[in-house]
Amino acid sequence: MRTKRAGDLDLSYGDKGDGIARIPPMGGLDPDTHSLQIYPVGWANDGSAAMYGFNPDDPLHANKVFTRMNADGHWDRETGHVPISKNQNGPMPLQFDDFTALTYTTGNAQDGVLTAGKAYYFEGDDVYQEIVVGRYTEHFAPWPGFADDGIATTRPVLAPGSQLRDEHISPQVATYISAPKLALAAGLIRVVFKSMLAAADGSITEKPFA
């Protein structure tokens, strides 16, 4: 949604004459009654928006995609829905693609986007919350040469069985306030995130990092 001035809705925005941009779902779902469920979104300097989300009929969020909304509120049909690449060479934590932050690297669409999300690992009965960072081109392909197929992690997966154990994580972890914040500053990727250890003895240690 966009306003021309305080209190006035810009009815030229979007494709229905009502000032609202619609984000169509994938597959055969009716775009008039369903919408892609968006997690993070980032705006470029030209007013267009990069988005990341999943279909409303995908409760496990198994098929996440990137898409783009043009500056006039029309969905970018040429870009369409772009599945996140999962061609990493090394093992990844379960749900490594669960991004909750997205920003353009410079504000210019051609310079691509950065993404970040929380990842959880367990070693024995200890659970660790760490950060995952992705970098993608303007067409949402993995940025050439960046980490492993566009994905960088701060903690290696020690064994193929390492995975996320949601039942051992506090519900507070899912709140927006704990979502990572990221940007490109002075040519470096800067991320503020919370690292957490849920130990087997029930204690929880949290540390913010930047």
Side-chain angles (χ1 to χ4, degrees), residues 144-175:
F146 183 80
D148 189 352
D149 193 42
I151 296 288
T153 60
T154 55
R155 187 179 188 87
V157 176
L158 299 181
S162 294
Q163 60 180 339
L164 187 156
R165 295 204 303 186
D166 289 316
E167 70 273 16
H168 281 205
I169 303 298
S170 163
Q172 186 179 15
V173 172
T175 65

Side-chain angles (χ1 to χ4, degrees), residues 19 26 39 42 63 71 75 96 112 123 129 136 177 190 192 194 197 206:
M26 297 178 286
Y39 263 13
N63 300 295
W75 181 56
F96 70 90
E123 297 172 9
Q129 174 185 301
Y136 298 89
I177 197 170
R190 308 288 191 180
V192 178
K194 182 171 64 176
L197 164 62
E206 297 180 356

